[in-house]
Each structure stands twice: as structure tokens, then as C-alpha cells.
Amino acid sequence: MKSVVPTARHFTDLARATAIAELSGLLQTGRLINRVSQLIDALQLERGTSNIWLSSDGRLFDRERGARTRHALQVRQEADIELAALAQRQPQVGGARLFNRAACALTALETLPALREGISHKTLEPSAAMSGFNEVIRQLLSLIFDAADAATEPAVSRAMIALFSFMQGKELAGQERALGAAGFACGAFGDAERLKLTTLIEGQNRCFATFSQFAAEGVMQRWAAQRFDNAEFERLRRIACTQPHPDIAGEESALRWFALHTRRMNGFKQVQSALEAALMDSCRAAIRQAERQEEPPASPHPAAEDGAFQLVISPLEETPPGALTTDFLSPQLSRSVLSLAQQQSLRLQQLGQELATLRAGVEERKVIDQAKTLLIRHRNLSEEQAYQTLRTMAMNQNKRLVEIAAAILAIADVL
């Protein structure tokens, strides 16, 4: 059989088709993120409602708790549709981690029936119920992070980083809502709870600062429009963070705290919707751009009179870093082409550094969580006590929390 010699146009068509297929996969991932984010919203609300129900010994939010559990179950079914679509994807380079993360997320979701049963029978303390929901939501957020980390198109990557950072901040806000509602309902904030509230507030500020660096201008306008400046909200925050036994503690304050935080988080949902829309728009725009690239590449040896240029790439060992010159470009194009190339290189380098920073942050949280789990198991501590133990050790030894956590994991066999 006679072999067919491929042409330049053949490879151009292959490159375009591959790019469109990859971007279509990102578009499908965007739909998955949309459904998973809705599931996180539902679980955050169920967590807060369950916490205040348990803390009030079932007097508050009895009807609401059932309604929000049913809503979470319904949203779970919608998320399962997109997870099923993900399961039908063909294996591809870089997809293993995303598939593994999806498996972890589904495993975590399977713990919800037992968690809900323990809440209904009041066999769980509010802190334990909150920890159970936190773990499920953490796995869902990690699924979204791995989807973002798989993105290769710069504009799409930025949109996904903005979304992920914002969702992290929103999750910390949800934990603050649940923890504070429980404290006001039972009438006390211990040292651990007040420190945790302060940590959650600081974490929100960091996440929203990262989001602001990556979000598109239109999203930032939406963010500015919904800023929640409420004097009563800030007053309740100060009371919860500073007073072990607030004078205004009680069910009424718990309900007010919950209502104000829910109003704030409803505003977050609008921004999150704008972020998800920006992500989808980025995917579609990249697909349209790839589809328009139908022309064959220019001749490798254009005529000088055409005013075109030839890009010459020297062997790596012959070209010192940063030694790119303009001798091979026509005078009209040298400045603009080099400027464009340098800007693109800087942008991609910055994006890679930002992605690496986010990835490192997630890995550090995993190490800390593993160390906390060991302390809980071997020292019979609560989650908050385990965290405070790590924090105290880090302060006493003047080291970062993750360094102490890694040291504990290294000697796990003797704990």
C-alpha cells in the first residue's frame, strides 16, 4: 500500500481539530463546575441550618432543615448527570488526577446519609456535624481545583483560578456562618471557636484578594456592586470573636447572625454566577478563535518584496537567555513582533507561577489535614484541638504550620 506523504495543511488541520476538542472538553468541565458549585451552595446552607438546629436542641429551623436537605438531594442528582458525562470521556493526558478527584468526591458524598441520620437522631455534636459537611465540601472544591489546574488556555485558566479562589472564600464564609450561629444559639464562644472565627475571616480576605487579581473587569464591577457593608453584621462579628459569653447570646441573635450571613452569601452567589459565565464565555471564545484558523501556514521562504519576515531560531546552546535579536525582522515589524512575543512569554510565565502557588497551597492544606487526622486518631483530640496543637507547636518552634504537620507525618509510626 502506497504511503501518503502528509502536507503542512494536514498538520494544520490536525492542530486545529485537536485544539477545538480540548477546548470543548474544557467547556464540558465548565458545566460540571457549575453543577458542583450549586451542590456546594446547597450543602453550605444545609450545614448552617443543621448546626443551628442541633445547637438549639431542635427548637430552631426544624422545617427549614428538612427542606434544605431535600434541596441538596435534588441538586446532587443534577451534579450526578455531569459526573456521568465526565465518566464517558475518553482517557487523555492529564486526566488521571481529575478522574481520581472525582472518585474522591463521590466517596465523600456517600458519607452524607450517615451524617444526616446522626444529625436527625442528635447523636452528633454541632462541631462533628460541621466537620462532616466540611470534608464533603472540601473534596468538591478540590474537584473544581483539579479541573482548573487541567486548563491550558491562558484566558480560561485565569477565569477558573478566579472562580476557584472565590469559591474558597465563599466556603470559609459558610463555615463562619455555621460556627457563629451555633455559638450564639448555645450562648458561648470558647477560645478555640473565637480563634477559628478570626482565622476564617482572615482566610476569606486572602481568597477574595486572589480572586480580585484574576477576575475579569465585568466580574469585578459585580463584586463592587454587591459589597456587604452592614454595621450590625460587623458588630455581631466583633462580639463573636471577642466575648466568651455574649450578653446578647440566644436564639434571637443566632437567627439574626444566620440571616445576615445568608444575605451576604446570596450576594456571593451573584458574583459566582458571573464568574461561571465568564469561564464559559472564555471557552466559547477560544473555540471560535480556533475554528477561524483555517488558512494554511505561510510559506517558510516568503519573498522579500512581500514585506514578510522569517523567524530564525538558533540552537539553544548558541543563544544566551534573553539574547533574542531583531536582525531577521523587517524594520516595520521588529518592534511590534518582539514586544508581542515578550509579553506573551511573560504572561505565560506569570500564569505558571500563579498556578504553582495555588497548587502548593492545596498540597499544604492536605498535609495539615493529614496531620490533624493523626492527632485526632492517636491523641483522642477534637478537630479544633488538633489544629490548636499544631498551631502551638509551630509558634513555640518558630516554624510554619505545614512544616510541623510534615514532621508529625514523618514520625507517624511512633505516634
Side-chain angles (χ1 to χ4, degrees), residues 228-246:
F228 191 74
D229 296 324
N230 185 286
E232 184 182 8
F233 172 80
E234 295 298 337
R235 182 177 68 88
L236 289 175
R237 258 186 167 182
R238 286 194 298 272
I239 290 173
C241 291
T242 60
Q243 298 184 19
H245 300 281

Side-chain angles (χ1 to χ4, degrees), residues 74-303:
Q74 179 183 351
V75 178
R76 163 72 192 277
Q77 292 177 347
E78 296 169 355
D80 282 344
I81 294 174
E82 293 301 330
L83 286 168
L86 177 65
Q88 298 303 314
R89 287 195 196 179
Q90 293 296 321
Q92 55 187 1
V93 176
R97 188 166 62 182
L98 178 59
F99 293 148
N100 282 330
R101 182 57 64 190
C104 292
L106 284 171
T107 300
L109 286 168
E110 294 307 315
T111 66
L112 286 175
L115 176 62
R116 287 164 176 152
E117 183 177 359
I119 293 170
S120 296
H121 290 97
K122 300 180 183 177
T123 57
L124 290 177
E125 293 294 326
S127 58
M130 183 171 173
S131 295
F133 279 111
N134 289 355
E135 175 60 20
V136 177
I137 294 172
R138 185 181 71 84
Q139 292 293 347
L140 294 174
L141 283 171
S142 295
L143 172 60
I144 291 178
F145 174 80
D146 280 330
D149 195 35
T152 56
E153 193 71 20
V156 177
S157 293
R158 292 187 68 85
M160 298 188 88
I161 292 171
L163 174 62
F164 175 74
S165 300
F166 188 83
M167 291 185 69
Q168 278 190 309
K170 180 169 165 288
E171 162 57 10
L172 297 180
Q175 291 186 26
E176 181 191 359
R177 176 177 62 183
L179 184 61
F184 277 114
C186 69
F189 291 93
D191 292 342
E193 286 74 25
R194 285 183 282 118
L195 179 59
K196 180 67 172 178
L197 284 171
T198 302
T199 302
L200 289 171
I201 293 170
E202 293 173 350
Q204 291 171 58
N205 293 336
R206 289 194 299 270
C207 289
F208 293 142
T210 301
F211 142 77
S212 299
Q213 294 174 3
F214 287 90
E217 182 179 354
V219 176
M220 289 307 298
Q221 291 174 353
R222 180 72 64 87
W223 171 245
Q226 72 82 45
R227 291 299 291 270
F228 191 74
D229 296 324
N230 185 286
E232 184 182 8
F233 172 80
E234 295 298 337
R235 182 177 68 88
L236 289 175
R237 258 186 167 182
R238 286 194 298 272
I239 290 173
C241 291
T242 60
Q243 298 184 19
H245 300 281
D247 294 336
I248 64 169
E251 295 179 356
E252 183 177 350
S253 294
L255 291 174
R256 188 58 183 161
W257 167 279
F258 193 88
L260 287 169
H261 277 74
T262 299
R263 189 192 309 170
R264 178 177 182 240
M265 292 188 67
N266 286 341
F268 289 169
K269 289 182 183 179
Q270 297 179 19
V271 179
Q272 184 173 310
S273 296
L275 283 165
E276 292 168 2
L279 169 63
M280 303 294 273
D281 289 344
S282 295
C283 289
R284 295 189 185 98
I287 290 174
R288 287 195 298 269
Q289 182 178 359
E291 289 174 339
R292 286 196 299 267
Q293 295 174 352
E294 297 179 354
E295 297 78 8
S299 168
H301 300 289

